[in-house]
Amino acid sequence: MNMMSDMNSATACLLQMTDEHFQLEDYQSGVPRWCTGCGDNAILAAVQRLCRDEALRPEKTVFVSGIGCSSRFPHYMKTYGFHGIHGRALPVAEGVKMARPDLTVFVNTGDGDCTSIGAAHWIHAIRYNMNLTVFLHDNQIYGLTKKQASPTSPIGTKSNTTPRGSYLEALNPLTVTLGVQNVSFVAQAADWIPEVLFDIVKAAYHHRGLSFVRIIQRCPEWLPKALDPWMHDPNKVLLLNHANGLQASAGLSRVYKNQIEHDPLNIDRAREIASDTETIPVGILYNNPAVPCYEDLRQSDKLRTADLTRAGLNAELDKYTVWPQGAEQKVA
Amino acid sequence: MNQMTKQKPAKKAVQKPKAATSVKAPVRLKEHIVEIISDSGEGAQKCGQSLGAIAAQMGNGIWTTEIIPAEIRPPARSVAGASGNRIRIGSGYITNGGDETDMVVAFNEQVLLGRVRAKELKPGCTILLEDMWRTHADPKIVASYIETHDALVKAGYKVIEIPMERECRTMVADPRRGKNMYALGMLCYIYSLELKLAVDQIVLAFGKKDQSVVDSNIMLLEAGHKWAAANLDFCYSIPAVRSTEPQLVVNGNTSLALGVLASGMEICAMYPITPATSASHYLSEVFEKVGGMVHQAEDEIAACAFAIGASYAGKCTVTITSGPGYSLKQEAIGLAVMGEIPLVVVNVQRGGPSTGQPTKMEQGDLMTAIFGSHGDAPKVVMAPGTIEECFYSIITARKIAETFNMVVVVLTDAALATSQQPFPRPQFNESWMAPPVDQSPVPAGAKPYDWDDTTGLARRFIPGQPGGMHTLTGLAHDRDSHVAYDAEINEQTLRFRSLKLAALQKTLKAPKVFGDPKGDLLVVGWGSTKGAIEEAVEMLRAEGKKVSSLHLQFLQPMAPGIKEILQGFKKVMTVESNWSDRPDDKIIDESNRRYSSMAILLRSRFLIDIDCFSEVKGQPIKPGTIRRVMLEKLKK
């Protein structure tokens, strides 16, 4: 009788799990302190919608970030969050994922965080290809420290450290990422096209491996006009369509007529598209689900129980033990 | 030509005395220090390790020290290129490498010269010197050999030329492989060690390869033994009592790695750095068998961040490094302190600052360990003093890290890392391991940082725990882990994080004094100097001096009861291997003298005038040196 009721409650629990629904409010925490019109708000809305649609369990979801405006992101999610130090979001997220592959791990990082101070980790994170969804919030400027040029600032950007305009050509995060061995997913979105932003966030989440999403976003405070040429001329946006990627909706196609077919498995073409700085390609540039994930390669098939530890330790100790005469190998 | 003809009868002479060997009575010794040195790649290290293991099996106390050149392949026959092993063998328990060397086996005169110049050899000690260079084709080498040989003889060393190469060549084609076993055979004779134990060592080392390698090595071993018996006019015995308990013979880095395994930790994140890496090498292989992984990160910072991520997610992780890597990790360590994430950081100290002396020992990172990372970042700092303590300190460190949600730094050094000393084989205890990751729901209303007002402790919420969702942040934060814009909260939380050290301190026991609890002079030490300090104290006590020593394993927090101990002595000084200004330097006086790290800590905490002696030569401080320093201090 007791057993029956146990089984019933177990079944009920299972049913409850599969039947669980979440509302947007279940993922919302605090009032974002980003500026009005900041692209981060659009990213937050898309990600919260993704969590609701995919019914991600809040306690099994972790958002890891570094430092910068974008890295405040986890504070506004009602999931687990890790707001760490500048540039190191990726290695922290890798540690989380390696220890706990059961957790869904997202990374929010800015252009300074990822492509400058954390650049080494970025390259290697692509190579490890762990199952992480990485959002590069790229507003082409340091915001939190008040307007310094970042590696992705277009040449000539006037900032507090480059009052006469920045000196160097901007770093292109897409070509860099696409140049790293083991790259498995690269996409680009723009904060002012929320429909595609959401579709890309969703595709990135479903990709198994490191999905790298560069989101071009506006900074209304420090570079309010920088993206105007692209925002005001839809033809300067290039939508990437493919049966294995995204398909522009009819509504979207009425505004964004500049579209091409691009097979996300074609890395050479992806690199060509990524190199174009006149137009902003939006969509999935590359998606190869066959690249192995580091955590799968490194995950042990052994559950480290006390017995296994004891046996393993004793086997090692045996190699280096000097036994008293006549008592060899008698230790349990 | 002349030399060639000379050589032949010598060979015959080797064969002849075999039958006529008169049994020489071994001279009984209490202890002896022997070293075997060669160019790298000639196997002197292996020979020394085997000798140590054999002596340990005989029941002798041993302490082995690796002699490592700084480069992977220093030029052959170079003064700075000595590679090998130094073994102190004794009748009783040996706690350190001891003083100068009593006997050397050298494969060439140049590496020997390096050791002489480093003042590592006892004046007049016995040198067994490979003689192949006397007949070498290159006249420069011949001249250099003869010059060095004659100079050493003149200086009073007892130089015995040994035809190792020639003898080996009669048996094998390439004496570079196997000459070390010939030397081992000689040493087994000299120290009256059972040859069978040496055979066992060879089988253990080469058994997996193929039988012909084993056979050829055994043949050389036996030949070396026979040659020594026939040609040497001395041999020793160092009486030993076989232990009744199984003993483990490993170096400090292996001991550390075994501790990681025994502690239940499953992830080690690291970046290659001398002299720490061998611990991770060993773990890499062990984890393949037992489960777990060594993550070789892209850099030291990433290694630390990876470890922090894994620890945050519920699996306490270790990162193992040395000085330069430890410096790089500072910001990440601060994050773990701020977020109260358990983390074990091992720093196998080497000579610093900067790249310093990568293969040499130093105790220069104590201050960085305690005060490192900006702001007030309280962390626990421990230092094992023996190879055995390397094993247990990791288990303790993991436990403290998880109980107090703190960073625990374990300081060892290059000397502990590469030395071997037998200790009782550990018996695994399940309580050493971490409990499974807590995934139970968090009670309604519970806060992620609900600091206890007395101890500063708070229960940690681990991802996966329903109801525990919060964002951990390196920013100042309140009990809800919300960013604190209120200055008041920042100060309160500094207090809580600091209180945890006091809470830990309350659980520690007063350290034990080595010697009487009261007297004229107390020497305080920490880390790898333990054995040498205690030996010096023992020598002086045997001479009737009222001296004792205190060795601290917990450096932050310091155990209770230390002040009372210090007050029991007329004079107190530390002995450390980190820099302190020399009081006799022209411009050094009490107003500007920089003391050694531990001395500074003790002086500031206990307001006692504590002196220090330090030596930073990249070598362990010798017991004889400490004895001399203590005698001087007693006189002052």
Side-chain angles (χ1 to χ4, degrees), chain A residues 43 46 135-138 140 174 186-201 212-218 227 237-240 246 280-285:
Chain A
I43 301 168
F135 302 122
L136 169 60
H137 302 225
D138 190 353
Q140 294 121 56
L174 297 179
V186 178
Q188 179 156 276
D191 74 46
W192 63 90
I193 318 175
E195 182 185 331
V196 188
L197 172 62
F198 176 75
D199 287 346
I200 288 175
V201 164
F212 181 81
V213 182
R214 181 200 189 196
I215 303 162
I216 298 179
Q217 63 168 107
R218 291 160 293 169
L227 292 166
V237 169
L238 177 69
L239 289 190
L240 310 177
L246 302 179
I280 291 180
V282 165
I284 298 172
L285 285 101

Side-chain angles (χ1 to χ4, degrees), chain A residues 126 173-181 183 186 267 270-271 274 285-286:
Chain A
I126 302 300
L174 297 179
T175 52
V176 172
T177 308
L178 284 164
V180 179
Q181 196 69 34
V183 60
V186 178
I267 197 161
R271 286 171 180 153
L285 285 101
Y286 187 62

Side-chain angles (χ1 to χ4, degrees), chain B residues 302-351:
Chain B
C304 197
F306 189 99
I308 287 171
S311 278
Y312 160 77
K315 292 194 174 169
C316 185
T317 295
V318 62
T319 179
I320 306 178
T321 187
S322 183
Y326 190 72
S327 291
L328 284 164
K329 292 179 198 293
Q330 290 309 310
E331 191 197 10
I333 287 173
L335 170 65
V337 171
M338 190 59 143
E340 303 191 40
I341 302 164
L343 180 70
V344 179
V345 185
V346 179
N347 177 352
V348 184
Q349 298 166 96
R350 66 191 220 183

